[in-house]
Every structure is written in structure tokens, then in C-alpha cells.
Amino acid sequence: NMGAEGMDVQQQILHALEKNGVVISNEFAVSEKETHQKVVGAIKSLESLGNVINVKQIALKTWECTDEGNNLATSGSHEARLFNSLPPEGRSLTDIKASFPNSNFALGAAMKNKWLKKEGEKVIPAVSAIEDEVQIHLKAIAAGGENSVPDKIKAEYKKRKLIKEVDMTVFEVSKGSAFTTSVMKQEAELTKEMIESGQWKGKTFKPFNFKSKGRIEQRSGYLHPLMQLRSEFRQIFLEMGFTEMPTNNYVESAFWNFDALFQPQQHPARDAHDTFYVAEPGKTISVPEDYLQKVKKTHSSGGYGSIGYQYDWSREEAHKNLLRTHTTAVSARMLYKLAQEGFQPVKFFSIDRVFRNETLDATHLAEFNQIEGVVADYSLSIKNLMGLIKGFFEKIGITKLRFKPAYNPYTEPSMEIFSYHEGLKKWVEVGNSGMFRPEMLRPMGIPEKVTVAAWGLSLERPAMIMYGINNIRELVGPRVKMELILDNPLCTIDKWTPTGNNS
């Protein structure tokens, strides 16, 4: 339904057609001092009446002001503003350059126009009044009257980036076979009042437009690609018979994050340059005292076949709160709980956020998601660990694996996991693994013959490979492009099957 104002524009178009035979939408908008958008809307409404008018669409190039051009059209050119700011006695050149924006250009243009002249160190008006042609021209272009501005001047303004050439669609309107200047406002809906009063009989109604497109709804939400991939990895662990560990506490004590894992208090990873410590509350509420004493003894003087680290273990250091640096802190809690409740073989996994005080670059963030698998059973060996890792990576389509000996404070033996990257044509590190040390397990109460195999990797690295992203900041954080999320509504892993057929 168009308001009275819209109807007025329709009537103006019809009267102009009756008089001239043809109406060009952009020219009509300028002559009637209406916006082109409003004129086009009125033409579309008239077109819907049937054969009252004929409409032809024309593509043409036109000019419009840039942001700076609109500013000068409103406030005047730099040279005119400079002229208008000068008192009759003038101002010093130094003062003008220090206080007036774009002073060099404004001075040059004003001198060229012979509006100003120099007298010694001063600049004074050379005429009593000026006509700001730049502003006049730009106002005309802004209003759609670019034809009144000579082509040579338009070319100059284009160089100065005051105007730009744009593509424009205009409509040529002519009389239709049922042309009339007496159009009645069409009703968009039949109301109860119209039916009761009988007014509907004298009304004309807008026809239904069955070809019109439906309203574009707001985009629905999508899972972030990283969360989609997390779901895929989670499903793989569940298929392998693993149980998910609770990982909803990001703040952890140094005791569970480091000490329970037999990581010494002098270890470089515990430095504030590598770990985010919490200021408030700075200390944990409690730690199981009997277990703490066993951990202290193992660190200080050893036990379970180890001589320990031979240092004075600090309760104060162990009680510090921090943002967990790995989900292995959760594994430690789960294994301790398992030992207290009576050991039975288990397979645990977790995928959640961890935090490192890293320098941010293309491959490092201060927070990322760690994938971790833990298997505890009687007499597990390094071969079992390698078999578990092989089975896990085969599930995600990675079959070429190598293992390299490594050092971790809480695993022995330890192995870095490498996979052959077909795209890069080289072996790349994809994870870390090892058997948890007796110094970590025995103080918890895990039985003597039980061994625990564990491996971990980040979620972001395989995601970067799968989505072809070279900079991790394009996957996580404020630089993420919405298109990445919207263009990847589905994510599946090309899983390997024993038959050799990939799903």
C-alpha cells in the first residue's frame, strides 16, 4: 500500500506522460526534486495496474559524489572555505598552514582563481566575493544533474576522487493500451469492515504476484567448523569404546596440572612466561592431603623405584591456581578417582580447551583444543600404545604413521607421532604420546601391574589441513570470516575401513 505521498508521485508521472509521452525515471526525479528510489517505486506500482503504462529498463553509466565530494558539496570547496575564513586584512602564510586543513591545495587553487594574493608574508583577499563553482558542480552531481557539468570538469573531479562513475538502472515509461490519468488507489487486503459496509464493491484490489520471491529470512546459525570437527572426533572415540571425561573446569590448581603428573616445580613450563596464573583467587581451596603427601615424597626423595628430583617440594607452589595447560590434568583427576573407587580397566577421552602463554603467530594461539585418549589396563606395553594410536588415526584416514622417541616429564617411554602429508610431501608431527610413569600412577593408588597409555593432539591442526587454512587466526578469533562458517555447514572425515573402502 502506498501512502498519499507515493500516490502524488504516481499522479505526477501520469500527468507528465500525458503531456510528453515519455518519462525517464532519473531525469523525472531531478526535475521533481524526488529521490530516484521513490520514483522507481511509483513506476512499479503503476506497472502492477495492468496496461496503464509500458516500462523499459535501461542500463547507463552516471556519476555520483564520493564521501569527500559530498562533504565539499555540503560545506564548500577547500579554497572557498579558506577565502571565507580570511579577514579583510588577511592572515600570515605560516598561520594558515598551521591551522587550515588541506592548506597547500586550498592556497594553490585560490591563487589560481585569483581570489587571493600575497603581500609579503601575508595572504589577503583579492576580490570582495566569490562564486564556489566546485560546490555548485558537486551539488548538481549529488542531485543527479551531472549533465549540467562539463565533461572536462567531471574528468578533473574524478582525478581528485570527488566523484566516481557508477552503473545505474533507469526506467523509460510510456503510455500503455489502458492509459489513464485517473488511477484509483488499490487495496492490498480485503477487510472485515469493507465486507460489512459493502465498500469492497467499489474498490480495486492489487493482484497477487505469484512470481515474486519470498522474503529472505535471517540466516540460521551454523556450528563453527572446529565444533563440527570436534563432533566427528568425539564420535570416533565413542565408536572405539571410550568414555568422555568431564572437562568443564578451565581453572586448575598447579597440583593437578603439574605436581600430580610428576612434573618438577622448577620445570620451564611452570614459568609465568608459559602459563597463565590466576590472580584472584590465587590459591586452590583444597587438595587430598594423604595424596599430596605421597606426591611431595615422590618429588623430594623418590619412591616406586625412582630417586625423585631431590628438591624441597613447596606446598605453596602446588596450591597456585592457573588456566590448565593440558587436559592431562583432568586425566590425573580421573585416574586418582578410579584408584580410590577400586581399579578396573578403562578407556577415557576428552576434547576441550587448554591455555598456553604463547606468542601469537600463524600456527600458535594462547588457547586451543586438545584431543586426549587414555587407556588403563593390566600389563599394557608400548606396542599396545602404538596399536591404539594406529587404530585411532586410521579412523580419520591417516594410515602412514611413524613414531620418534621423545621426552615428557610424566611419560616414559614417550613418542612423538608423525604422519606423511600427501599435500606437503613430507612427514609432519601430528601428536605426542607415552606410557604414564610409575612416579605419577603409584602415589594415586593405581595397582602395581597396571600401566596407562596416553596420546594427544590439537584439534586446530587437522582442521587447518582439512579446510586449507594457513593461518590459525583465520580459524579462531576475531579474524574468522563468516563465509568460512556459512560455506561449511557440513563436515565429515574421510574414514578408513578395514575393507579398504573409504566412507
Side-chain angles (χ1 to χ4, degrees):
N1 247 348
M2 294 194 74
E5 200 175 325
M7 285 295 291
D8 287 346
V9 178
Q10 287 184 38
Q11 287 293 300
Q12 289 165 6
I13 292 170
L14 292 172
H15 287 306
L17 276 176
E18 189 176 37
K19 183 180 176 184
N20 304 319
V22 174
V23 167
I24 307 296
S25 60
N26 63 323
E27 294 174 4
F28 182 80
V30 173
S31 66
E32 298 297 325
K33 296 181 179 177
E34 295 283 0
T35 64
H36 188 240
Q37 185 179 1
K38 187 183 286 186
V39 171
V40 171
I43 291 170
K44 293 288 184 187
S45 295
L46 288 171
E47 191 179 16
S48 70
L49 298 177
N51 297 320
V52 174
I53 60 169
N54 295 322
V55 180
K56 182 181 174 184
Q57 193 169 304
I58 303 168
L60 55 81
K61 290 192 177 295
T62 186
W63 296 90
E64 68 177 35
C65 291
T66 62
D67 288 344
E68 188 184 356
N70 281 319
N71 178 35
L72 298 194
T74 305
S75 307
S77 66
H78 298 301
E79 54 270 33
R81 278 188 268 178
L82 174 60
F83 178 88
N84 292 328
S85 73
L86 290 183
E89 67 274 13
R91 286 168 66 190
S92 73
L93 191 60
T94 308
D95 186 24
I96 291 170
K97 287 188 175 183
S99 61
F100 194 84
N102 300 292
S103 57
N104 285 338
F105 180 87
L107 279 165
M111 294 288 189
K112 186 180 176 183
N113 292 344
K114 297 183 179 176
W115 294 349
L116 302 176
K117 60 183 179 182
K118 283 180 71 177
E119 271 189 8
E121 283 299 310
K122 291 182 77 174
V123 174
I124 62 170
V127 292
S128 58
I130 61 166
E131 185 178 50
D132 189 358
E133 279 195 345
V134 173
Q135 185 179 23
I136 293 166
H137 291 152
L138 292 175
K139 269 187 175 178
I141 291 169
E146 66 275 0
N147 293 336
S148 65
V149 181
D151 290 343
K152 186 178 177 182
I153 289 176
K154 283 190 287 212
E156 181 193 334
Y157 290 168
K158 183 183 177 182
K159 276 185 187 176
R160 288 174 59 182
K161 295 183 179 176
L162 299 178
I163 61 172
K164 59 185 177 183
E165 205 168 7
V166 291
D167 294 321
M168 183 182 187
T169 301
V170 300
F171 297 90
E172 182 183 282
V173 184
S174 57
K175 294 177 182 178
S177 57
F179 177 77
T180 175
T181 56
S182 304
V183 294
M184 187 181 291
K185 179 185 171 186
Q186 290 182 306
E187 298 294 338
E189 59 180 324
L190 179 65
T191 65
K192 177 188 171 188
E193 288 75 23
M194 285 182 194
I195 296 170
E196 288 176 345
S197 65
Q199 285 180 347
W200 64 274
K201 295 174 185 176
K203 299 281 186 184
T204 57
F205 292 89
K206 281 188 176 181
F208 283 109
N209 182 2
F210 293 105
K211 293 181 180 178
S212 67
K213 294 179 180 179
R215 182 187 296 173
I216 299 172
E217 298 296 337
Q218 291 294 322
R219 286 168 167 174
S220 57
Y222 289 117
L223 277 178
H224 189 284
L226 211 56
M227 291 301 99
Q228 295 172 35
L229 197 57
R230 182 189 185 281
S231 298
E232 288 280 318
F233 277 116
R234 186 174 180 273
Q235 192 58 40
I236 287 167
F237 275 115
L238 294 173
E239 288 171 8
M240 293 175 71
F242 281 70
T243 302
E244 190 165 13
M245 293 185 276
T247 52
N248 56 347
N249 54 319
Y250 290 170
V251 175
E252 189 56 273
S253 67
F255 177 83
W256 289 106
N257 195 81
F258 294 125
D259 295 278
L261 302 179
F262 196 56
Q263 190 153 324
Q265 293 184 339
Q266 300 87 355
H267 195 280
R270 298 177 70 146
D271 190 81
H273 292 296
D274 292 284
T275 299
F276 290 112
Y277 285 92
V278 176
E280 186 64 36
K283 304 291 179 184
T284 188
I285 296 170
S286 65
V287 173
E289 186 60 31
D290 58 338
Y291 177 40
L292 180 143
Q293 291 300 331
K294 289 175 184 174
V295 169
K296 176 182 178 180
K297 181 178 181 299
T298 311
H299 277 249
S300 303
S301 56
Y304 318 103
S306 169
I307 64 167
Y309 291 116
Q310 303 291 311
Y311 72 95
D312 291 331
W313 185 85
S314 165
R315 179 190 291 265
E316 188 78 8
E317 187 68 29
H319 276 228
K320 287 181 179 178
N321 280 331
L322 48 82
L323 295 181
R324 67 178 179 217
T325 63
H326 46 194
T327 51
T328 318
V330 183
S331 302
R333 282 183 177 272
M334 293 299 290
L335 290 169
Y336 172 73
K337 183 182 177 187
L338 181 68
Q340 306 315 300
E341 293 175 352
F343 178 80
Q344 54 183 354
V346 292
K347 293 196 284 189
F348 289 136
F349 83 95
S350 66
I351 310 171
D352 212 336
R353 197 75 57 87
V354 297
F355 307 85
R356 305 275 174 91
N357 196 352
E358 296 269 14
T359 301
L360 307 187
D361 59 31
T363 56
H364 293 87
L365 290 176
E367 55 182 290
F368 58 93
N369 288 278
Q370 182 181 340
I371 302 169
E372 183 162 346
V374 177
V375 180
D377 206 344
Y378 293 95
S379 304
L380 285 176
S381 69
I382 193 79
K383 284 187 177 181
N384 296 113
L385 173 60
M386 293 167 79
L388 283 162
I389 293 168
K390 187 170 182 288
F392 172 78
F393 278 101
E394 278 180 348
K395 285 269 191 181
I396 59 174
I398 297 175
T399 55
K400 293 182 180 179
L401 289 177
R402 280 182 180 172
F403 299 94
K404 176 185 173 185
Y407 167 76
N408 293 317
Y410 42 90
T411 58
E412 181 61 38
S414 308
M415 302 179 298
E416 288 171 345
I417 309 161
F418 287 79
S419 165
Y420 188 74
H421 194 297
E422 297 291 348
L424 298 174
K425 302 295 180 190
K426 67 176 184 178
W427 291 87
V428 296
E429 186 183 348
V430 291
N432 206 334
S433 66
M435 307 294 294
F436 282 143
R437 296 179 69 104
E439 295 98 322
M440 170 187 164
L441 299 176
R442 304 304 165 235
M444 294 176 171
I446 299 289
E448 193 76 30
K449 291 183 180 179
V450 171
T451 48
V452 181
W455 73 97
L457 60 149
S458 83
L459 179 63
E460 284 76 4
R461 179 164 288 188
M464 287 174 70
I465 294 168
M466 288 180 182
Y467 289 104
I469 295 169
N470 296 322
N471 191 328
I472 196 168
R473 287 168 289 191
E474 291 177 15
L475 183 67
V476 181
R479 280 212 232 163
V480 173
K481 295 174 183 173
M482 288 301 292
E483 288 77 12
L484 171 72
I485 297 167
L486 298 171
D487 294 346
N488 292 283
L490 292 173
C491 168
T492 57
I493 293 173
D494 191 22
K495 297 171 185 172
W496 181 88
T497 58
T499 60
N501 297 320
N502 285 357
S503 60

